[in-house]
Amino acid sequence: MRSVLVLAAALALAGPAVAAPAAAPNPAPSPAKPQPVLKTIAADVDPKALEATIRALVGFGTRHTLSDTTSDTRGIGAARRWTATRFAAISKACGGCITVEMPTKTFTGKRAPNGVEIVDVLGVQRGTTDRERVVIIAGHIDSRVNDVMDATTDAPGANDDASGVAAVLEAARVLSKHRFPATIVYAVLSGEEQGLYGGQLLAETAKAEGWKVEADLNNDIVGNVHGIGGAVDRAHVRVFSEGTKAVETPEQADARRYNGGEVDSPSRNLARFMDGLAERYVRDLDVVMVYRTDRFGRGGDQVPMLEAGYPAVRVTEAAEHYDRQHQTVRVENGRAYGDVVEGVDFPYLAQVTRLNAVTLAALASAPAPPSGVKIEGAVSADTKVSWAPAADAAGHRVWWRGTTEPTWSHARSVGAETSTVLTNVVIDDWFFGVSSVSADGWESPVVFPGAAGSFESGAK
């Protein structure tokens, strides 16, 4: 208390305090129009279906990338073919709305010195009107034990990452009952533990197919609630997002360093988008936005997507249990190790799957984010915001927030215009963005001005 009083006295002697940025118009933006279908989608997620998928995958013994590919009962080959049949069954139930694709490529590296054929299993649900725009949910099917080169020992991989694969398949089952303007890709990837090969193959496939990837939701380790040291967390899920783009050019970096954008990549605004959806449509689950590309010193299949210029996030449980990751199943000194089914909490996994499903549905239903977002207003009391609208946008919302605020705090709805002036909103004191809104109220993620925030994909 004494230090607070001393500081107050010092400030008084120093003269009047510098005022914070004046409160701008519309200080409490209303959320996007409620979409009842998102509640229906969330309610349709079935924990029992998730459990059945994980038990089936664990039943293949090991799904190591270098394991048997010819057996029908053991190894990664059998697991991939089983996944393809699951997509086929879901497609049959929806009248053929999902196409199964299995891109393949041979990779060689430190953990695959003799080369290995990587096969991704994709379920592609084509959009109705904006088919080239793509949103993706992904998880990796391969598993491992302590020795990353051990392809024969049982490696259940129940949480890492059968949980992610289960989320992908359940999202496909639920969302296949609906139709969306944009395309949804359900991606089950191989080779993550050997070098993120499945993610690299997915990025190459996206480029070869000409996909306009708006978002990649990589689900990796999403089904456990018991952390090391007795921590239990069923109420949170972490969403990791890169700060500055992996494909940023030196010129773009110069502009970003000067004008801001370090925390406004498209991936980070995608994380904010997910956070808002969780608050409205996934009861009792809160998104914790982590301002990192991944956990410290670790990686996932979203990284190759980011390196290709595509917006991507990593979704991971709040409380990881490291005795259950990359461990051979065993008991030592009374301590159990291994990634077994008993380590998965299926109601929690259902919550994470609900978040993914409503995010995919919201993204695929909304117009594409605007492009060419620009701000002007140096030495002015007003800020002009302009943009190029998406073809299917009926209107827009202009957003702004204080430069140290984590989420967008102010908004103004505008019509089909391509610019607006924010009177008495000084450009120096705020960050700005624009979202697209459809005629029926679906809203895109917010786009920060310039290259730093653009959702337009492509490497430098």
Side-chain angles (χ1 to χ4, degrees):
M1 178 62 72
R2 181 178 181 276
S3 62
V4 172
L5 293 174
V6 170
L7 176 61
L11 290 174
L13 290 173
V18 177
N26 305 331
S30 59
K33 177 184 175 181
Q35 300 292 350
V37 68
L38 295 183
K39 292 186 177 181
T40 300
I41 286 169
D44 199 15
V45 171
D46 184 359
K48 292 183 179 179
L50 294 162
E51 180 177 359
T53 293
I54 290 178
R55 290 190 180 278
L57 291 172
V58 169
F60 292 109
T62 180
R63 304 185 307 278
H64 191 281
T65 302
L66 306 180
S67 65
D68 194 326
T69 60
T70 59
S71 170
D72 291 330
T73 59
R74 184 177 179 85
I76 194 167
R80 289 189 300 227
R81 290 190 294 274
W82 178 87
T83 301
T85 64
R86 288 292 302 124
F87 278 136
I90 294 168
S91 182
K92 183 177 180 180
C94 67
C97 73
I98 290 178
T99 302
V100 183
E101 300 179 6
M102 299 179 71
T104 303
K105 181 179 177 179
T106 298
F107 288 85
T108 303
K110 182 179 180 180
R111 295 182 176 182
N114 299 318
V116 61
E117 185 179 64
I118 297 298
V119 181
D120 288 345
V121 186
L122 311 180
V124 181
Q125 182 176 343
R126 296 290 178 187
T128 56
T129 58
D130 195 3
R131 295 163 67 92
E132 289 73 30
R133 183 163 60 92
V134 173
V135 295
I136 302 169
I137 177 174
H140 72 84
I141 198 170
D142 56 302
S143 61
R144 60 165 289 187
V145 292
N146 292 70
D147 181 359
V148 72
M149 300 304 294
D150 183 348
T152 58
T153 300
D154 279 357
N159 194 37
D160 184 14
D161 185 34
S163 65
V165 173
V168 171
L169 289 170
E170 181 64 357
R173 185 190 69 81
V174 171
L175 296 178
S176 65
K177 301 176 183 179
H178 307 269
R179 298 294 174 265
F180 305 96
T183 293
I184 302 176
V185 173
Y186 310 97
V188 175
L189 311 178
S190 300
E192 194 269 356
E193 305 289 7
Q194 303 309 115
L196 309 182
Y197 294 138
Q200 184 176 332
L201 180 55
L202 178 64
E204 292 177 3
T205 300
K207 183 177 180 180
E209 295 289 332
W211 294 347
K212 298 177 181 177
V213 178
E214 184 177 324
D216 170 47
L217 314 181
N218 183 43
N219 285 257
D220 197 346
I221 311 180
V222 290
N224 165 69
V225 299
H226 295 276
I228 289 288
V232 179
D233 194 337
R234 293 183 172 87
H236 300 90
V237 63
R238 293 178 293 170
V239 177
F240 292 81
S241 58
E242 72 173 357
T244 58
K245 289 184 177 181
V247 295
E248 185 178 63
T249 67
E251 293 77 15
Q252 291 167 349
D254 286 343
R256 187 256 310 151
R257 280 193 295 268
Y258 204 84
N259 296 315
E262 292 84 356
V263 292
D264 276 283
S265 68
S267 301
R268 193 141 295 166
N269 277 312
L270 175 60
R272 294 184 177 108
F273 185 79
M274 296 177 72
D275 184 32
L277 289 171
E279 291 178 0
R280 298 193 297 276
Y281 298 106
V282 187
R283 184 177 179 180
D284 299 326
L285 184 71
D286 183 46
V287 167
V288 177
M289 293 186 292
V290 183
Y291 283 10
R292 280 196 174 106
T293 298
D294 209 310
R295 294 131 330 135
F296 193 80
R298 304 173 73 183
D301 281 317
Q302 80 281 3
V303 173
M305 294 294 286
L306 293 168
E307 291 173 345
Y310 300 123
V313 296
R314 179 189 176 117
V315 182
T316 296
E317 64 204 21
E320 291 186 72
H321 199 306
Y322 306 116
D323 290 355
R324 298 173 180 170
Q325 297 177 15
H326 300 180
Q327 293 286 343
T328 304
V329 179
R330 67 195 189 280
V331 176
E332 290 183 358
N333 300 319
R335 187 168 178 172
Y337 295 85
D339 188 359
V340 296
V341 174
E342 290 74 18
V344 179
D345 185 289
F346 299 106
Y348 174 76
L349 176 56
Q351 287 284 78
V352 178
T353 305
R354 291 180 183 111
L355 174 63
N356 278 272
V358 299
T359 300
L360 292 167
L363 290 168
S365 298
S371 59
V373 177
K374 180 181 178 181
I375 53 173
E376 301 170 84
V379 296
S380 170
D382 308 328
T383 299
K384 179 181 178 181
V385 186
S386 59
W387 58 89
D392 51 350
H396 302 86
R397 280 217 279 183
V398 175
W399 298 80
W400 62 104
R401 70 179 199 273
T403 60
T404 58
E405 289 184 274
T407 56
W408 298 102
S409 56
H410 299 66
R412 177 181 299 171
S413 295
V414 297
E417 294 87 353
T418 59
S419 67
T420 193
V421 174
L422 302 175
T423 305
N424 293 325
V425 180
V426 178
I427 195 171
D428 303 323
D429 300 333
W430 307 90
F431 284 153
F432 301 87
V434 184
S435 60
S436 300
V437 184
S438 69
D440 49 357
W442 292 100
E443 187 165 0
S444 77
V446 178
V447 180
F448 186 83
S454 173
F455 273 74
E456 294 174 282
S457 57
K460 61 184 178 180

PDB file of all heavy atoms in Angstrom, residues 256-285:
ATOM      1  N   ARG A 256       5.244  -4.434 -40.538  1.00  0.00           N
ATOM      2  CA  ARG A 256       4.586  -4.946 -39.344  1.00  0.00           C
ATOM      3  C   ARG A 256       5.261  -4.454 -38.069  1.00  0.00           C
ATOM      4  O   ARG A 256       4.607  -4.090 -37.089  1.00  0.00           O
ATOM      5  CB  ARG A 256       4.556  -6.474 -39.408  1.00  0.00           C
ATOM      6  CG  ARG A 256       3.759  -7.164 -38.300  1.00  0.00           C
ATOM      7  CD  ARG A 256       4.654  -7.764 -37.270  1.00  0.00           C
ATOM      8  NE  ARG A 256       5.691  -8.578 -37.878  1.00  0.00           N
ATOM      9  CZ  ARG A 256       6.884  -8.773 -37.347  1.00  0.00           C
ATOM     10  NH1 ARG A 256       7.207  -8.200 -36.202  1.00  0.00           N
ATOM     11  NH2 ARG A 256       7.795  -9.532 -37.947  1.00  0.00           N
ATOM     12  N   ARG A 257       6.584  -4.446 -38.053  1.00  0.00           N
ATOM     13  CA  ARG A 257       7.291  -3.958 -36.872  1.00  0.00           C
ATOM     14  C   ARG A 257       6.942  -2.506 -36.574  1.00  0.00           C
ATOM     15  O   ARG A 257       6.863  -2.100 -35.417  1.00  0.00           O
ATOM     16  CB  ARG A 257       8.803  -4.114 -37.058  1.00  0.00           C
ATOM     17  CG  ARG A 257       9.330  -5.510 -36.803  1.00  0.00           C
ATOM     18  CD  ARG A 257      10.842  -5.506 -36.696  1.00  0.00           C
ATOM     19  NE  ARG A 257      11.464  -5.134 -37.962  1.00  0.00           N
ATOM     20  CZ  ARG A 257      11.846  -6.014 -38.895  1.00  0.00           C
ATOM     21  NH1 ARG A 257      11.667  -7.308 -38.684  1.00  0.00           N
ATOM     22  NH2 ARG A 257      12.400  -5.609 -40.014  1.00  0.00           N
ATOM     23  N   TYR A 258       6.737  -1.719 -37.622  1.00  0.00           N
ATOM     24  CA  TYR A 258       6.475  -0.292 -37.440  1.00  0.00           C
ATOM     25  C   TYR A 258       5.020  -0.014 -37.070  1.00  0.00           C
ATOM     26  O   TYR A 258       4.729   0.800 -36.199  1.00  0.00           O
ATOM     27  CB  TYR A 258       6.839   0.469 -38.722  1.00  0.00           C
ATOM     28  CG  TYR A 258       7.171   1.922 -38.493  1.00  0.00           C
ATOM     29  CD1 TYR A 258       8.449   2.303 -38.109  1.00  0.00           C
ATOM     30  CD2 TYR A 258       6.208   2.911 -38.644  1.00  0.00           C
ATOM     31  CE1 TYR A 258       8.753   3.633 -37.877  1.00  0.00           C
ATOM     32  CE2 TYR A 258       6.496   4.239 -38.414  1.00  0.00           C
ATOM     33  CZ  TYR A 258       7.777   4.606 -38.031  1.00  0.00           C
ATOM     34  OH  TYR A 258       8.077   5.922 -37.789  1.00  0.00           O
ATOM     35  N   ASN A 259       4.091  -0.703 -37.731  1.00  0.00           N
ATOM     36  CA  ASN A 259       2.673  -0.375 -37.595  1.00  0.00           C
ATOM     37  C   ASN A 259       1.872  -1.361 -36.757  1.00  0.00           C
ATOM     38  O   ASN A 259       0.698  -1.130 -36.494  1.00  0.00           O
ATOM     39  CB  ASN A 259       2.026  -0.287 -38.987  1.00  0.00           C
ATOM     40  CG  ASN A 259       2.616   0.835 -39.804  1.00  0.00           C
ATOM     41  OD1 ASN A 259       2.794   1.944 -39.306  1.00  0.00           O
ATOM     42  ND2 ASN A 259       2.934   0.555 -41.061  1.00  0.00           N
ATOM     43  N   GLY A 260       2.490  -2.465 -36.346  1.00  0.00           N
ATOM     44  CA  GLY A 260       1.775  -3.451 -35.547  1.00  0.00           C
ATOM     45  C   GLY A 260       1.283  -4.621 -36.373  1.00  0.00           C
ATOM     46  O   GLY A 260       1.309  -4.602 -37.606  1.00  0.00           O
ATOM     47  N   GLY A 261       0.840  -5.641 -35.681  1.00  0.00           N
ATOM     48  CA  GLY A 261       0.357  -6.855 -36.333  1.00  0.00           C
ATOM     49  C   GLY A 261       1.003  -8.104 -35.769  1.00  0.00           C
ATOM     50  O   GLY A 261       0.718  -9.211 -36.237  1.00  0.00           O
ATOM     51  N   GLU A 262       1.856  -7.934 -34.746  1.00  0.00           N
ATOM     52  CA  GLU A 262       2.546  -9.086 -34.176  1.00  0.00           C
ATOM     53  C   GLU A 262       1.585 -10.103 -33.570  1.00  0.00           C
ATOM     54  O   GLU A 262       1.898 -11.291 -33.472  1.00  0.00           O
ATOM     55  CB  GLU A 262       3.536  -8.629 -33.083  1.00  0.00           C
ATOM     56  CG  GLU A 262       4.714  -7.828 -33.589  1.00  0.00           C
ATOM     57  CD  GLU A 262       4.416  -6.347 -33.770  1.00  0.00           C
ATOM     58  OE1 GLU A 262       3.242  -5.944 -33.569  1.00  0.00           O
ATOM     59  OE2 GLU A 262       5.341  -5.601 -34.116  1.00  0.00           O
ATOM     60  N   VAL A 263       0.415  -9.657 -33.136  1.00  0.00           N
ATOM     61  CA  VAL A 263      -0.559 -10.569 -32.529  1.00  0.00           C
ATOM     62  C   VAL A 263      -1.849 -10.623 -33.346  1.00  0.00           C
ATOM     63  O   VAL A 263      -2.912 -10.912 -32.820  1.00  0.00           O
ATOM     64  CB  VAL A 263      -0.871 -10.154 -31.064  1.00  0.00           C
ATOM     65  CG1 VAL A 263       0.345 -10.363 -30.190  1.00  0.00           C
ATOM     66  CG2 VAL A 263      -1.363  -8.719 -30.984  1.00  0.00           C
ATOM     67  N   ASP A 264      -1.739 -10.390 -34.634  1.00  0.00           N
ATOM     68  CA  ASP A 264      -2.937 -10.346 -35.475  1.00  0.00           C
ATOM     69  C   ASP A 264      -2.776 -11.087 -36.794  1.00  0.00           C
ATOM     70  O   ASP A 264      -3.353 -10.704 -37.811  1.00  0.00           O
ATOM     71  CB  ASP A 264      -3.340  -8.895 -35.736  1.00  0.00           C
ATOM     72  CG  ASP A 264      -4.170  -8.346 -34.597  1.00  0.00           C
ATOM     73  OD1 ASP A 264      -5.362  -8.693 -34.527  1.00  0.00           O
ATOM     74  OD2 ASP A 264      -3.627  -7.600 -33.761  1.00  0.00           O
ATOM     75  N   SER A 265      -2.009 -12.167 -36.776  1.00  0.00           N
ATOM     76  CA  SER A 265      -1.984 -13.038 -37.954  1.00  0.00           C
ATOM     77  C   SER A 265      -3.376 -13.607 -38.171  1.00  0.00           C
ATOM     78  O   SER A 265      -4.211 -13.618 -37.250  1.00  0.00           O
ATOM     79  CB  SER A 265      -0.999 -14.178 -37.724  1.00  0.00           C
ATOM     80  OG  SER A 265      -1.493 -15.043 -36.712  1.00  0.00           O
ATOM     81  N   PRO A 266      -3.680 -14.110 -39.359  1.00  0.00           N
ATOM     82  CA  PRO A 266      -4.980 -14.759 -39.557  1.00  0.00           C
ATOM     83  C   PRO A 266      -5.188 -15.934 -38.609  1.00  0.00           C
ATOM     84  O   PRO A 266      -6.302 -16.179 -38.154  1.00  0.00           O
ATOM     85  CB  PRO A 266      -4.943 -15.191 -41.025  1.00  0.00           C
ATOM     86  CG  PRO A 266      -3.507 -15.182 -41.413  1.00  0.00           C
ATOM     87  CD  PRO A 266      -2.885 -14.100 -40.596  1.00  0.00           C
ATOM     88  N   SER A 267      -4.116 -16.644 -38.292  1.00  0.00           N
ATOM     89  CA  SER A 267      -4.237 -17.762 -37.357  1.00  0.00           C
ATOM     90  C   SER A 267      -4.679 -17.277 -35.984  1.00  0.00           C
ATOM     91  O   SER A 267      -5.507 -17.908 -35.315  1.00  0.00           O
ATOM     92  CB  SER A 267      -2.902 -18.501 -37.250  1.00  0.00           C
ATOM     93  OG  SER A 267      -2.494 -18.987 -38.513  1.00  0.00           O
ATOM     94  N   ARG A 268      -4.142 -16.141 -35.556  1.00  0.00           N
ATOM     95  CA  ARG A 268      -4.518 -15.626 -34.238  1.00  0.00           C
ATOM     96  C   ARG A 268      -5.947 -15.114 -34.235  1.00  0.00           C
ATOM     97  O   ARG A 268      -6.691 -15.298 -33.266  1.00  0.00           O
ATOM     98  CB  ARG A 268      -3.552 -14.536 -33.807  1.00  0.00           C
ATOM     99  CG  ARG A 268      -3.713 -14.190 -32.337  1.00  0.00           C
ATOM    100  CD  ARG A 268      -2.388 -13.925 -31.675  1.00  0.00           C
ATOM    101  NE  ARG A 268      -1.535 -15.094 -31.624  1.00  0.00           N
ATOM    102  CZ  ARG A 268      -0.226 -15.048 -31.338  1.00  0.00           C
ATOM    103  NH1 ARG A 268       0.346 -13.884 -31.089  1.00  0.00           N
ATOM    104  NH2 ARG A 268       0.489 -16.150 -31.291  1.00  0.00           N
ATOM    105  N   ASN A 269      -6.389 -14.503 -35.322  1.00  0.00           N
ATOM    106  CA  ASN A 269      -7.788 -14.072 -35.384  1.00  0.00           C
ATOM    107  C   ASN A 269      -8.725 -15.259 -35.574  1.00  0.00           C
ATOM    108  O   ASN A 269      -9.897 -15.191 -35.185  1.00  0.00           O
ATOM    109  CB  ASN A 269      -7.970 -13.014 -36.464  1.00  0.00           C
ATOM    110  CG  ASN A 269      -7.593 -11.626 -35.946  1.00  0.00           C
ATOM    111  OD1 ASN A 269      -8.020 -11.225 -34.869  1.00  0.00           O
ATOM    112  ND2 ASN A 269      -6.777 -10.907 -36.699  1.00  0.00           N
ATOM    113  N   LEU A 270      -8.219 -16.343 -36.120  1.00  0.00           N
ATOM    114  CA  LEU A 270      -8.981 -17.584 -36.136  1.00  0.00           C
ATOM    115  C   LEU A 270      -9.171 -18.102 -34.705  1.00  0.00           C
ATOM    116  O   LEU A 270     -10.264 -18.563 -34.333  1.00  0.00           O
ATOM    117  CB  LEU A 270      -8.259 -18.623 -36.999  1.00  0.00           C
ATOM    118  CG  LEU A 270      -8.850 -20.025 -37.037  1.00  0.00           C
ATOM    119  CD1 LEU A 270     -10.277 -20.019 -37.568  1.00  0.00           C
ATOM    120  CD2 LEU A 270      -7.963 -20.935 -37.902  1.00  0.00           C
ATOM    121  N   ALA A 271      -8.127 -18.034 -33.884  1.00  0.00           N
ATOM    122  CA  ALA A 271      -8.243 -18.442 -32.479  1.00  0.00           C
ATOM    123  C   ALA A 271      -9.266 -17.581 -31.750  1.00  0.00           C
ATOM    124  O   ALA A 271     -10.067 -18.093 -30.947  1.00  0.00           O
ATOM    125  CB  ALA A 271      -6.880 -18.359 -31.803  1.00  0.00           C
ATOM    126  N   ARG A 272      -9.273 -16.281 -31.993  1.00  0.00           N
ATOM    127  CA  ARG A 272     -10.271 -15.410 -31.379  1.00  0.00           C
ATOM    128  C   ARG A 272     -11.678 -15.791 -31.838  1.00  0.00           C
ATOM    129  O   ARG A 272     -12.629 -15.757 -31.054  1.00  0.00           O
ATOM    130  CB  ARG A 272      -9.973 -13.949 -31.733  1.00  0.00           C
ATOM    131  CG  ARG A 272      -8.673 -13.421 -31.135  1.00  0.00           C
ATOM    132  CD  ARG A 272      -8.471 -11.937 -31.427  1.00  0.00           C
ATOM    133  NE  ARG A 272      -7.249 -11.458 -30.790  1.00  0.00           N
ATOM    134  CZ  ARG A 272      -6.128 -11.135 -31.438  1.00  0.00           C
ATOM    135  NH1 ARG A 272      -6.077 -11.224 -32.765  1.00  0.00           N
ATOM    136  NH2 ARG A 272      -5.064 -10.722 -30.776  1.00  0.00           N
ATOM    137  N   PHE A 273     -11.808 -16.157 -33.092  1.00  0.00           N
ATOM    138  CA  PHE A 273     -13.084 -16.593 -33.649  1.00  0.00           C
ATOM    139  C   PHE A 273     -13.579 -17.833 -32.905  1.00  0.00           C
ATOM    140  O   PHE A 273     -14.749 -17.924 -32.515  1.00  0.00           O
ATOM    141  CB  PHE A 273     -12.879 -16.885 -35.142  1.00  0.00           C
ATOM    142  CG  PHE A 273     -14.120 -17.243 -35.906  1.00  0.00           C
ATOM    143  CD1 PHE A 273     -15.003 -16.265 -36.326  1.00  0.00           C
ATOM    144  CD2 PHE A 273     -14.385 -18.557 -36.247  1.00  0.00           C
ATOM    145  CE1 PHE A 273     -16.138 -16.584 -37.070  1.00  0.00           C
ATOM    146  CE2 PHE A 273     -15.508 -18.899 -36.985  1.00  0.00           C
ATOM    147  CZ  PHE A 273     -16.386 -17.902 -37.395  1.00  0.00           C
ATOM    148  N   MET A 274     -12.697 -18.793 -32.677  1.00  0.00           N
ATOM    149  CA  MET A 274     -13.052 -20.007 -31.954  1.00  0.00           C
ATOM    150  C   MET A 274     -13.436 -19.689 -30.502  1.00  0.00           C
ATOM    151  O   MET A 274     -14.372 -20.289 -29.949  1.00  0.00           O
ATOM    152  CB  MET A 274     -11.897 -21.002 -31.988  1.00  0.00           C
ATOM    153  CG  MET A 274     -11.550 -21.496 -33.373  1.00  0.00           C
ATOM    154  SD  MET A 274     -10.125 -22.616 -33.409  1.00  0.00           S
ATOM    155  CE  MET A 274     -10.839 -24.088 -32.658  1.00  0.00           C
ATOM    156  N   ASP A 275     -12.724 -18.768 -29.899  1.00  0.00           N
ATOM    157  CA  ASP A 275     -13.017 -18.373 -28.525  1.00  0.00           C
ATOM    158  C   ASP A 275     -14.437 -17.839 -28.415  1.00  0.00           C
ATOM    159  O   ASP A 275     -15.194 -18.196 -27.499  1.00  0.00           O
ATOM    160  CB  ASP A 275     -11.995 -17.322 -28.081  1.00  0.00           C
ATOM    161  CG  ASP A 275     -12.162 -16.908 -26.625  1.00  0.00           C
ATOM    162  OD1 ASP A 275     -12.574 -17.757 -25.811  1.00  0.00           O
ATOM    163  OD2 ASP A 275     -11.870 -15.749 -26.310  1.00  0.00           O
ATOM    164  N   GLY A 276     -14.826 -16.994 -29.363  1.00  0.00           N
ATOM    165  CA  GLY A 276     -16.182 -16.448 -29.349  1.00  0.00           C
ATOM    166  C   GLY A 276     -17.242 -17.504 -29.555  1.00  0.00           C
ATOM    167  O   GLY A 276     -18.305 -17.484 -28.921  1.00  0.00           O
ATOM    168  N   LEU A 277     -16.981 -18.462 -30.436  1.00  0.00           N
ATOM    169  CA  LEU A 277     -17.946 -19.539 -30.673  1.00  0.00           C
ATOM    170  C   LEU A 277     -18.107 -20.418 -29.447  1.00  0.00           C
ATOM    171  O   LEU A 277     -19.220 -20.862 -29.120  1.00  0.00           O
ATOM    172  CB  LEU A 277     -17.500 -20.384 -31.868  1.00  0.00           C
ATOM    173  CG  LEU A 277     -17.626 -19.719 -33.234  1.00  0.00           C
ATOM    174  CD1 LEU A 277     -16.944 -20.569 -34.292  1.00  0.00           C
ATOM    175  CD2 LEU A 277     -19.098 -19.500 -33.611  1.00  0.00           C
ATOM    176  N   ALA A 278     -17.008 -20.698 -28.753  1.00  0.00           N
ATOM    177  CA  ALA A 278     -17.097 -21.511 -27.543  1.00  0.00           C
ATOM    178  C   ALA A 278     -17.995 -20.844 -26.513  1.00  0.00           C
ATOM    179  O   ALA A 278     -18.811 -21.509 -25.854  1.00  0.00           O
ATOM    180  CB  ALA A 278     -15.704 -21.755 -26.969  1.00  0.00           C
ATOM    181  N   GLU A 279     -17.864 -19.538 -26.367  1.00  0.00           N
ATOM    182  CA  GLU A 279     -18.683 -18.820 -25.392  1.00  0.00           C
ATOM    183  C   GLU A 279     -20.165 -18.932 -25.706  1.00  0.00           C
ATOM    184  O   GLU A 279     -20.997 -19.013 -24.796  1.00  0.00           O
ATOM    185  CB  GLU A 279     -18.270 -17.342 -25.359  1.00  0.00           C
ATOM    186  CG  GLU A 279     -16.891 -17.099 -24.769  1.00  0.00           C
ATOM    187  CD  GLU A 279     -16.517 -15.630 -24.805  1.00  0.00           C
ATOM    188  OE1 GLU A 279     -17.337 -14.813 -25.292  1.00  0.00           O
ATOM    189  OE2 GLU A 279     -15.412 -15.293 -24.343  1.00  0.00           O
ATOM    190  N   ARG A 280     -20.534 -18.986 -26.988  1.00  0.00           N
ATOM    191  CA  ARG A 280     -21.933 -18.956 -27.368  1.00  0.00           C
ATOM    192  C   ARG A 280     -22.549 -20.338 -27.593  1.00  0.00           C
ATOM    193  O   ARG A 280     -23.755 -20.501 -27.408  1.00  0.00           O
ATOM    194  CB  ARG A 280     -22.101 -18.120 -28.649  1.00  0.00           C
ATOM    195  CG  ARG A 280     -21.676 -16.672 -28.486  1.00  0.00           C
ATOM    196  CD  ARG A 280     -22.129 -15.798 -29.626  1.00  0.00           C
ATOM    197  NE  ARG A 280     -21.552 -16.157 -30.901  1.00  0.00           N
ATOM    198  CZ  ARG A 280     -20.368 -15.758 -31.341  1.00  0.00           C
ATOM    199  NH1 ARG A 280     -19.597 -14.990 -30.564  1.00  0.00           N
ATOM    200  NH2 ARG A 280     -19.928 -16.104 -32.535  1.00  0.00           N
ATOM    201  N   TYR A 281     -21.716 -21.327 -27.979  1.00  0.00           N
ATOM    202  CA  TYR A 281     -22.315 -22.581 -28.434  1.00  0.00           C
ATOM    203  C   TYR A 281     -21.783 -23.843 -27.753  1.00  0.00           C
ATOM    204  O   TYR A 281     -22.343 -24.917 -27.970  1.00  0.00           O
ATOM    205  CB  TYR A 281     -22.122 -22.722 -29.947  1.00  0.00           C
ATOM    206  CG  TYR A 281     -22.814 -21.630 -30.723  1.00  0.00           C
ATOM    207  CD1 TYR A 281     -22.094 -20.593 -31.314  1.00  0.00           C
ATOM    208  CD2 TYR A 281     -24.196 -21.617 -30.848  1.00  0.00           C
ATOM    209  CE1 TYR A 281     -22.730 -19.587 -32.015  1.00  0.00           C
ATOM    210  CE2 TYR A 281     -24.843 -20.609 -31.550  1.00  0.00           C
ATOM    211  CZ  TYR A 281     -24.101 -19.600 -32.134  1.00  0.00           C
ATOM    212  OH  TYR A 281     -24.743 -18.598 -32.819  1.00  0.00           O
ATOM    213  N   VAL A 282     -20.717 -23.746 -26.971  1.00  0.00           N
ATOM    214  CA  VAL A 282     -20.179 -24.934 -26.309  1.00  0.00           C
ATOM    215  C   VAL A 282     -20.182 -24.666 -24.809  1.00  0.00           C
ATOM    216  O   VAL A 282     -19.259 -24.062 -24.264  1.00  0.00           O
ATOM    217  CB  VAL A 282     -18.763 -25.281 -26.809  1.00  0.00           C
ATOM    218  CG1 VAL A 282     -18.320 -26.619 -26.212  1.00  0.00           C
ATOM    219  CG2 VAL A 282     -18.728 -25.358 -28.328  1.00  0.00           C
ATOM    220  N   ARG A 283     -21.207 -25.140 -24.171  1.00  0.00           N
ATOM    221  CA  ARG A 283     -21.385 -24.866 -22.745  1.00  0.00           C
ATOM    222  C   ARG A 283     -20.282 -25.533 -21.922  1.00  0.00           C
ATOM    223  O   ARG A 283     -19.906 -26.673 -22.170  1.00  0.00           O
ATOM    224  CB  ARG A 283     -22.750 -25.379 -22.303  1.00  0.00           C
ATOM    225  CG  ARG A 283     -23.111 -25.066 -20.863  1.00  0.00           C
ATOM    226  CD  ARG A 283     -24.509 -25.554 -20.552  1.00  0.00           C
ATOM    227  NE  ARG A 283     -24.866 -25.281 -19.164  1.00  0.00           N
ATOM    228  CZ  ARG A 283     -26.038 -25.602 -18.618  1.00  0.00           C
ATOM    229  NH1 ARG A 283     -26.951 -26.200 -19.369  1.00  0.00           N
ATOM    230  NH2 ARG A 283     -26.277 -25.327 -17.349  1.00  0.00           N
ATOM    231  N   ASP A 284     -19.755 -24.791 -20.964  1.00  0.00           N
ATOM    232  CA  ASP A 284     -18.781 -25.295 -19.998  1.00  0.00           C
ATOM    233  C   ASP A 284     -17.427 -25.636 -20.617  1.00  0.00           C
ATOM    234  O   ASP A 284     -16.675 -26.433 -20.060  1.00  0.00           O
ATOM    235  CB  ASP A 284     -19.317 -26.522 -19.252  1.00  0.00           C
ATOM    236  CG  ASP A 284     -20.578 -26.214 -18.454  1.00  0.00           C
ATOM    237  OD1 ASP A 284     -20.680 -25.086 -17.937  1.00  0.00           O
ATOM    238  OD2 ASP A 284     -21.449 -27.101 -18.356  1.00  0.00           O
ATOM    239  N   LEU A 285     -17.108 -25.045 -21.745  1.00  0.00           N
ATOM    240  CA  LEU A 285     -15.766 -25.189 -22.325  1.00  0.00           C
ATOM    241  C   LEU A 285     -15.258 -23.813 -22.714  1.00  0.00           C
ATOM    242  O   LEU A 285     -15.901 -23.112 -23.500  1.00  0.00           O
ATOM    243  CB  LEU A 285     -15.772 -26.113 -23.544  1.00  0.00           C
ATOM    244  CG  LEU A 285     -14.377 -26.367 -24.141  1.00  0.00           C
ATOM    245  CD1 LEU A 285     -13.558 -27.252 -23.207  1.00  0.00           C
ATOM    246  CD2 LEU A 285     -14.479 -27.002 -25.525  1.00  0.00           C
TER     247      LEU A 285
END
